[in-house]
Amino acid sequence: MGCWWGSRLLKQGHRVKLLMRNRPPDRARIIVEHNNHQDHFNCDTTQIESAVPPESTTSLLVALKAHNTLDALTSISDLLPYYPVILLMQNGMGVVEQIRHAHPDLPLLIGITNQGAYRVDTLHIVQAGQGETWLGCLPSEAVQTGPDAVEDLVNISPGPVRWDPRILSRQWIKLAVNCVINGLTMVENCRNGQLTLPTYRERITNLCEEIETVMSNYVSSDATLILQQEVLRVAAATRENYSSMLQDAQNGRTTEVEYLNGYLCQRADSLNIAVPENQKLYAEIRTVTATRTAL
Ligand code: PAF
């Protein structure tokens, strides 16, 4: 996602610097492949530990896995106050709470995307389809940031990027979709499209009903009604995809389960809401992960 955003901003003439974990060359090239065509974008890079304070108008876009985000931000904690906007783009929930706890009062924004892109190498991505992206500020944020602070990000094209004043609802719907699709494809070891088969319908209904009960404690009920419909729509729209959780597991990487199914079960627990179907799925995912890791 970092490469995708970087390439869009560079195309529009913005300056982009990639902060990278492994020692990069000073100038590097992002390659974006689309319909068997490659676009190349030169950009500045720096190793994250050597990063220096940015210019005052620079936004920080954090496109890392949920479980890597807090450590990455902490490693540049001296620089964080220099950024007028820090945009977080992770699957799952719980990262904001962790950051708030460690670094209070940062100007955080949330980005949610269904833009399809996958990595074939460092700085080389394949853009798979044209998705949508929403940006917004959580209602709990002490400093409320508005759309004008991210005008450049909101205006970049192609691929619509919109400001959403109800980003929390969208975050919960995305969490539900990921809990169900990523979780079930992980335990069934299948592509997303398989979940549209009637054999999975009852399980998906039960999972969604439980998630709706938890979710309705955080967002208005009109946002919760469409959950099952949305899960089936996304599974059909991405029918050829292997979910990110399954791909992570297959490649021996840490999955985002704790920020998806783990987060959901923990919220349910703190509200004293029974979610047996979701607890079962969470346990199955952990068993599958442990078995694959042991192989
Ligand atoms: O995490 C994923 O894989 C994606 O968010 C989604 C939408 C489930 C498609 O694979």
Side-chain angles (χ1 to χ4, degrees):
M1 266 308 128
C3 286
W4 184 80
W5 279 89
S7 68
R8 305 282 35 111
L9 289 164
L10 286 161
K11 198 170 183 171
Q12 298 234 330
H14 295 281
R15 284 189 58 204
V16 171
K17 182 174 260 188
L18 300 181
L19 306 186
M20 298 174 69
R21 202 172 13 207
N22 298 322
R23 185 159 195 82
D26 291 343
R27 298 269 300 158
R29 186 183 282 181
I30 298 176
I31 304 174
V32 181
E33 235 175 276
H34 183 48
N35 288 341
N36 295 324
H37 170 82
Q38 283 193 351
D39 284 321
H40 292 200
F41 302 89
N42 291 326
C43 68
D44 295 333
T45 63
T46 192
Q47 190 169 15
I48 194 157
E49 286 81 12
S50 324
V52 293
E55 288 166 16
S56 60
T57 54
T58 305
S59 303
L60 179 66
L61 197 152
V62 190
L64 293 167
K65 291 276 185 191
H67 47 265
N68 293 327
T69 300
L70 179 62
D71 282 354
L73 287 183
T74 301
S75 72
I76 53 164
S77 53
D78 291 351
L79 307 186
L80 295 178
Y82 291 92
Y83 291 102
V85 169
I86 299 177
L87 173 59
L88 302 171
M89 302 212 58
Q90 280 69 41
N91 261 348
M93 290 175 77
V95 173
V96 173
E97 287 97 316
Q98 289 182 334
I99 298 174
R100 278 272 149 270
H101 185 69
H103 308 281
D105 302 328
L106 294 178
L108 301 180
L109 283 185
I110 305 296
I112 295 178
T113 190
N114 57 21
Q115 177 65 44
Y118 60 91
R119 202 180 84 133
V120 282
D121 203 349
T122 314
L123 304 188
H124 181 171
I125 57 165
V126 174
Q127 188 183 326
Q130 200 68 257
E132 291 177 299
T133 302
W134 297 270
L135 307 179
C137 186
L138 290 178
S140 56
E141 288 303 290
V143 184
Q144 287 289 314
T145 313
D148 46 326
V150 283
E151 213 178 307
D152 291 336
L153 294 175
V154 170
N155 288 338
I156 61 171
S157 59
V161 179
R162 300 200 187 94
W163 183 261
D164 187 345
R166 298 178 68 201
I167 201 77
L168 184 62
S169 297
R170 211 171 274 284
Q171 233 188 348
W172 268 96
I173 294 170
K174 174 97 166 96
L175 180 87
V177 167
N178 283 135
C179 282
V180 178
I181 297 184
N182 296 25
L184 288 178
T185 54
M186 171 88 173
V187 296
E188 297 286 331
N189 200 14
C190 66
R191 290 181 198 263
N192 295 354
Q194 190 169 315
L195 303 182
T196 59
L197 297 176
T199 35
Y200 297 100
R201 204 54 54 88
E202 192 184 337
R203 193 162 187 199
I204 291 177
T205 305
N206 293 340
L207 287 165
C208 287
E209 279 177 6
E210 287 180 7
I211 299 175
E212 280 178 1
T213 312
V214 179
M215 183 177 160
S216 63
N217 284 273
Y218 298 98
V219 294
S220 70
S221 56
D222 62 323
T224 68
L225 296 173
I226 51 169
L227 271 198
Q228 183 175 350
Q229 223 176 303
E230 184 60 4
V231 166
L232 293 174
R233 187 194 67 75
V234 175
T238 59
R239 61 175 59 252
E240 293 306 320
N241 285 17
Y242 289 105
S243 72
S244 55
M245 194 188 287
L246 181 54
Q247 287 185 52
D248 283 342
Q250 283 172 340
N251 290 299
R253 296 188 293 253
T254 306
T255 73
E256 292 178 305
V257 64
E258 297 308 329
Y259 294 84
L260 298 173
N261 311 73
Y263 181 84
L264 188 265
C265 290
Q266 182 242 315
R267 287 287 112 180
D269 196 41
S270 68
L271 292 163
N272 278 324
I273 297 173
V275 287
E277 283 292 333
N278 281 278
Q279 286 286 6
K280 183 165 168 262
L281 180 59
Y282 180 35
E284 283 172 5
I285 297 167
R286 283 180 297 166
T287 306
V288 171
T289 310
T291 318
R292 294 214 179 114
T293 313
L295 287 177

